[in-house]
Amino acid sequence: MFVISLNYKVPLTEIDRLQAAHVEWLKACYADGIFVASGPKKPRTGGVIIAQCPREVLDARLAQDPFARAGAADYEVTEFLARMTGAGLDTFREA
């Protein structure tokens, strides 16, 4: 699994302009079974995505994010093994 931390590099007015396209991109990643959870940071300096897929698939999808295409965000990707999960998340547990 991966934790992706997005950090905005542009004013929020530019992020807001790209937001609808970004949400459509997120929906497509969920529909393809790549993303597990996502949401904005608090305060709103970026976002966080939890993903489960091969790294090369993740990298290709992140490159398609409207924020990435516009140079509006940096992405920090951390891989981890989900050894323990909460109730209902057993399918995400890794050996």
Side-chain angles (χ1 to χ4, degrees), residues 48-60:
V48 175
I49 300 169
I50 308 294
Q52 185 177 35
C53 62
R55 178 64 190 253
E56 60 273 7
V57 171
L58 177 62
D59 289 343

Side-chain angles (χ1 to χ4, degrees), residues 21-80:
H22 173 73
V23 169
E24 290 306 311
W25 170 80
L26 287 168
K27 288 178 181 178
C29 291
Y30 278 103
D32 291 341
I34 295 169
F35 289 173
V36 175
S38 62
K41 291 180 180 177
K42 196 172 179 181
R44 194 173 168 217
T45 59
V48 175
I49 300 169
I50 308 294
Q52 185 177 35
C53 62
R55 178 64 190 253
E56 60 273 7
V57 171
L58 177 62
D59 289 343
R61 293 307 280 267
L62 291 177
Q64 295 173 358
D65 182 0
F67 290 167
R69 295 174 70 136
D74 285 327
Y75 301 76
E76 180 182 338
V77 178
T78 303
E79 185 172 8
F80 75 102

Side-chain angles (χ1 to χ4, degrees), residues 6-20 22 40-47 67 71-73:
L6 285 74
N7 294 300
Y8 299 147
K9 302 182 341 183
V10 298
L12 286 177
T13 53
E14 179 66 9
I15 296 300
D16 290 342
R17 186 184 71 74
L18 298 166
Q19 189 69 29
H22 173 73
K41 291 180 180 177
K42 196 172 179 181
R44 194 173 168 217
T45 59
F67 290 167

